[in-house]
Amino acid sequence: MTHLVARMRPYERTIFGEMSALATRLGAVNLGQGFPDTGGPDEVRRAAERAIAEGHGDQYPPAHGNPVLRAAVSEHQRRFYGIDVDPDVGVVVTTGATEAIAATILALVEPGQQVMVLDPYFDLYAATIALAGAERVAVPLTAHTLRPDLGAMRAALTPRTRMLVVNSPHNPTGVVFTRGEVEALAAFAFEHDLLVLADEAYEHLWFDDNVHVPLAGLPGMFERTVTVGSGGKSFSFTGWKVGWASGPPDLIGPVRVVRQHLSYVSGGPFQEAMAVGLHLPDTYFDGFRADLAAKRDRLCAGLTELGFRVIPPQGTYFATTDVRPLGFTDGDEFCRRVPHEAGVVAIPLSALSDHPEVSAPYARWAFCKRDAVLDEALRRLRGWLG
Ligand SMILES: *Cc1c(COP(=O)(O)O)cnc(C)c1O
């Protein structure tokens, strides 16, 4: 890789690619990477099939997204959160939430400025911040409970800090920030005049009464926030790669400029189908959450019984466990042994972290899998630990 530009060398491999390759090689049950192993709602799939059959979207869709999808994003923000976004100038359709995040950082952060992320963090942020020539400031969540630590954030702030990335429901921990925590994060951003990237890819994946509170809905926050959504996560079609960003025109405008020079446009027929998804009735979203919550309960009950300390997942696809009660000192060592010895793959949180003093003891397990797959993983772990 001698030709790879220096600033991207630390990002040559991803832990997900590495662990999935290991799972394939060993025939291990892969609870590493977070994607569902069943498809999404039939209405949405049929809308994509219809769009292809009828030849809609065969050619480049409009540069900033199919107007039908932009209108659907705008209506969705109003329906669920009471947030008004202008579908003409306040929404941009992207190649997954991934591209929305990349375009936002590239468009709004100058080289040498700092982006604050809460650690552990989704690995894409680090790579994109590096690509932008910016600097990552990773502030650890609290050690035992994995909650935002405003004191640590305040201490890490510098005059060069330009943007705060807030991801709730939070990958990898499965934590959903409370209204109080979101208010504190908003006050922090407001007080220090930071732009905010609100990665809300898991906005519809919260459980029990851990309701998702969008940052842009708080007073004074819409004006400084780019909110990112993912059709892949909200409708279980991660392979379709449709996402979006919404916010005020003076932030979405720059994001549009950068994004049009990345993929230009993406997936015409899938954009049409995602608009159908966003208009689905509440029964879909309620049922989706209930299904995932049942999977969470299934996996977490098993992991608890095996002796892990499980951080109760309040949202997302993921359960985070402390491996120390089982006699391991380190989640990384645990995750490197368990595929070989038990035939199951999990992800060490330390791979998504600059702060081993907080992240080292944890391993992350994806529960967005068929019951038979979860049961087989637990059976193997029971045999290994047993
Ligand atoms: C999966 C994920 C994304 C990317 O979503 P895509 O729509 O698949 O590109 C962004 N942020 C977080 C936190 C994710 O887990």
Side-chain angles (χ1 to χ4, degrees), residues 95-99 101 122 124-125 167 171 199 201-202 230-233 238 241-243 318:
T95 305
T98 300
E99 190 190 37
I101 291 164
F122 186 52
L124 170 73
Y125 308 145
N167 168 222
N171 176 12
D199 179 355
Y202 295 100
S230 166
K233 299 291 162 63
T238 61
K241 292 305 290 186
V242 178
F318 309 112

Side-chain angles (χ1 to χ4, degrees), residues 151-191:
M153 290 171 68
R154 234 169 263 122
L157 203 66
T158 81
R160 288 189 294 127
T161 315
R162 180 61 179 138
M163 179 180 277
L164 171 66
V165 180
V166 176
N167 168 222
S168 179
H170 185 263
N171 176 12
T173 61
V175 160
V176 177
F177 299 164
T178 63
R179 175 165 291 277
E181 286 167 338
V182 174
E183 284 170 355
L185 293 167
F188 174 82
F190 190 85
E191 186 183 337

Side-chain angles (χ1 to χ4, degrees), residues 295-317:
K295 292 178 183 303
R296 170 200 62 172
D297 292 345
R298 196 178 192 96
L299 182 67
C300 290
L303 292 172
T304 303
E305 196 186 294
L306 287 168
F308 293 94
R309 181 173 74 91
V310 180
I311 311 289
Q314 300 170 323
T316 75
Y317 291 150

Side-chain angles (χ1 to χ4, degrees), residues 211-262:
V211 181
H212 168 61
V213 180
L215 238 140
L218 298 186
M221 289 310 290
F222 181 77
E223 295 74 8
R224 61 180 66 246
T225 303
V226 174
T227 300
V228 170
S230 166
K233 299 291 162 63
S234 288
F235 303 105
S236 307
F237 288 115
T238 61
W240 292 11
K241 292 305 290 186
V242 178
W244 45 85
S246 66
D250 66 336
L251 294 181
I252 295 302
V255 175
R256 285 179 165 193
V257 170
V258 169
R259 201 217 56 82
Q260 74 189 348
H261 297 298
L262 295 175

